[in-house]
Each structure stands twice: as C-alpha cells, then as structure tokens.
Amino acid sequence: MFSFDVVPGKVVKDILDSSVERIVDLVEDAYLRHDGGKTVNPDSYFLRFPAKPDARIIALPAAIELSEDHAVGIKWISSFPGNVAEGIPRASAALILNDYATGYPKALLEAANISAVRTAASAAVAARAFARHVTPDGRVSFIGAGVIARTILRYLVATDYPLHSVEIFDLHAESAQHLARFATEELGLTAKAVGSLAQALTAQTVITTTTAGTPYIGQLLRPGQVALNISLRDFQPTVILAAENYFDDVEHCMKANTSPHLAEQATGSRDFVSGTLADVLKGRTQPQGRRGLVFSPFGLGVLDLAVGQYVLTAARAQGLTVEIPNFFGETSRW
C-alpha cells in the first residue's frame, strides 16, 4: 500500500517505443470511455508568468475507469518555447499516479514522452477515423517541426495512414530539414522541407504542431481537405467557421483562446460544431467532405493516465522501476 516507484525517462521511452500499436489502442479506448462517462476530466489549470508570456506550466488532473482498475493522477507539463533556442526540448513533464483505494501517490513517471505519444496517438486515431469518410490522397504536410510533429509522423506510419509525400514548413528552416531527414532516413518516406506556408497548405492533410499563440492562417480549407489542428491556435476563426469541426471534447476546446474558442466568441454560438471524435468512432455522425474538416484536440488528461498506467505496469513487470523506501513519513494515524 505504501510503496512508491519512480519510472525514469529512458525506461518510459523504451516501453513506449516498443508499444506503438498498443498505445493507439489505449488512446482510442480512452476516448470511448470518456464518451461513455467513465472518466473525470476537470479543466486544465495554467500557471503563467508575467515576465515570460509565452511560457506556461499546465496541471491536468484526471481519473479514468480502465478495464482492470481506476487510473487516477495528474500531469504537470511545462511549455517553454525559449528552450528551443538553447537546443533543448520545449516541453518537460511529470506524471503522478495515485492509488484509487487510498488516494496515496504510488508512482512518479517522467512524462514528456507520455504526453508526446498520447498526442500522436490521438492524431493517428483521428486521421484513421476521418479517412474512412474522407479519402486521403497521400499528400501530408506539417506546419511546425518539433518533437510532436516527429512523434505524430511515427504514429501515422504505424497506423498505415497514406503518406506518399510529406512536406514540412517551419519558421526555423533547420528544424524542417531535420524532420524531413528523419522522415526519409528513419521512416523511409518521401519528404522534403518547403520554404513557404502557402506550399504546406496545398496538401490534402495538414497537421499544425507549432507554438503559435494567435491565429495566422486565413486560407480556407478546400472540400476534402483535412486539418489536424494539434497546436490549436493556428487557424483564424473564419477558417473554423467555414469547415466541419470535430473535437476530442467540445467544452474543453472552447477555452484559452483556441481557434474554435475565438470562433465561438466571434459568433456567439457553437453552430459550427459537427461532433466529437467519439461520435465518428461510434458512427453517430459521418464527415461529409463537402467542406474542409478540422479536428481540434485540446488534450485530455485521461489519455495521459491510460498511457501512464500501462507504462507503470510494464515497468514493474520488467523490474525497471526505482522504489523509494520510506517515501511516506507516517503510515499509521497513531
């Protein structure tokens, strides 16, 4: 009852790297459980800094009823874009898992990779679901070329999403070149960096993975064009209002001046909402493809918990956790 384990980042990464298909299944299952009322997913809480307006640390508390147990805990994830200039990742994270019976913390996991793969798996689940209704032509572009873009690309390959050609645009041209080289040399894809946003927007599937704080893309999507709006603040409200719009959770996405939130503010309504990813997965709604399609996932803490619980179970089974003796100072009331 009072054991407490730490799972280091390398252990987490090795387990995740060998479990891509399993992670996709876990994330899809978590979405369906969330839709079925088997989760508790409060609002995320943002810690911001007046002297560093682009930086933030976010708390995502959540709980999910899994098939074998409840996963309960909180992800604490920072986004400091200034890190990129120093050659270190923008995001870092920790995940605390609690025991459902007693509430005691039971494990601490390095969670930057957990956060990245749950985001990538979410994108892959959505892309696969929409492809059943809006046929992809294999032309995919990424706007933003960081860790999230790289991880999404791996997950799209793993789920057999058509990737005949990949074009990558980033304001930091060297990052685009790095991702194109990764796609070519590591994944065997036909990929190249492109020099303009306009070129990237010609692809049939457009994936935004930037750190943009305010929308800058005003070009409307074509019928049959799909945008995975992962970074949430790239598309101007006019683009959202002209498209079919699907969400991981509508209420969560209508916050923090995301592109859909700005569209809601501009119109005073949510008439532009077409449904959720779970609606599509369960066949309650079908994308039509007569307009562009936008998927906006705010990022649910329950996904981190589902993936984190899987990693903890695997790490314990392999004897790879670091147990902290006497972590709790008192284990009885008297």
Side-chain angles (χ1 to χ4, degrees), residues 34 39-44 60-63 249 252 298-303 305:
H34 182 64
T39 66
V40 180
N41 204 105
D43 288 345
S44 302
L60 289 83
D249 183 292
H252 280 265
F298 195 79
L300 301 176
V302 293
L303 304 183
L305 291 186

Side-chain angles (χ1 to χ4, degrees), residues 26-277:
L26 283 171
V27 167
E28 181 168 321
D29 178 69
Y31 275 134
L32 296 175
R33 289 177 184 276
H34 182 64
D35 180 73
K38 295 183 177 181
T39 66
V40 180
N41 204 105
D43 288 345
S44 302
Y45 299 90
F46 288 71
L47 175 63
R48 299 186 183 276
F49 311 92
K52 304 177 77 167
D54 63 337
R56 61 190 186 274
I57 308 180
I58 312 170
L60 289 83
I64 179 170
E65 182 182 339
L66 300 172
S67 57
E68 67 282 0
D69 195 6
H70 288 75
V72 181
I74 187 168
K75 181 176 73 171
W76 182 237
I77 181 166
S78 68
S79 175
F80 279 53
N83 290 353
V84 175
E86 303 299 322
I88 61 177
R90 170 188 60 84
S92 58
L95 177 67
I96 295 176
L97 295 177
N98 294 72
D99 178 71
Y100 180 64
T102 66
Y104 274 77
K106 64 181 181 181
L108 172 68
L109 294 80
E110 194 281 328
N113 272 289
I114 289 172
S115 189
V117 303
R118 67 84 147 142
T119 301
S122 167
V125 169
R128 182 171 64 186
F130 296 131
R132 299 180 185 126
H133 306 281
V134 181
T135 304
D137 68 5
R139 283 195 62 208
V140 177
S141 69
F142 284 83
I143 300 169
V147 172
I148 297 300
R150 183 182 71 207
T151 312
I152 290 174
L153 196 50
R154 286 186 60 230
Y155 271 69
L156 290 178
V157 170
T159 51
D160 296 321
Y161 192 75
L163 293 159
H164 304 320
S165 67
V166 179
E167 297 181 336
I168 302 153
F169 173 74
D170 195 297
L171 292 174
H172 185 245
E174 187 177 351
S175 294
Q177 293 287 354
H178 280 311
L179 184 57
R181 187 159 48 249
F182 170 81
T184 302
E185 297 177 2
E186 300 294 327
L187 301 178
L189 302 173
T190 299
K192 65 179 180 180
V194 297
S196 71
L197 175 64
Q199 174 63 28
L201 289 171
T202 63
Q204 186 270 335
T205 301
V206 176
I207 304 170
T208 60
T209 54
T210 74
T211 59
T214 56
Y216 57 92
I217 298 175
Q219 179 179 312
L220 301 186
L221 299 176
R222 305 184 306 273
Q225 193 173 24
V226 173
L228 303 182
N229 182 29
I230 306 302
S231 40
L232 289 175
R233 296 172 180 85
D234 300 87
F235 294 101
Q236 294 178 3
T238 51
V239 180
I240 300 297
L241 294 172
E244 290 186 77
N245 287 277
Y246 293 89
F247 302 83
D248 56 353
D249 183 292
V250 175
E251 201 62 44
H252 280 265
C253 278
M254 299 300 179
K255 294 181 176 68
N257 287 333
T258 64
S259 294
H261 187 207
L262 293 176
E264 180 189 34
Q265 292 175 57
T267 61
S269 79
R270 297 182 179 180
D271 291 345
F272 58 89
V273 173
S274 303
T276 65
L277 177 56

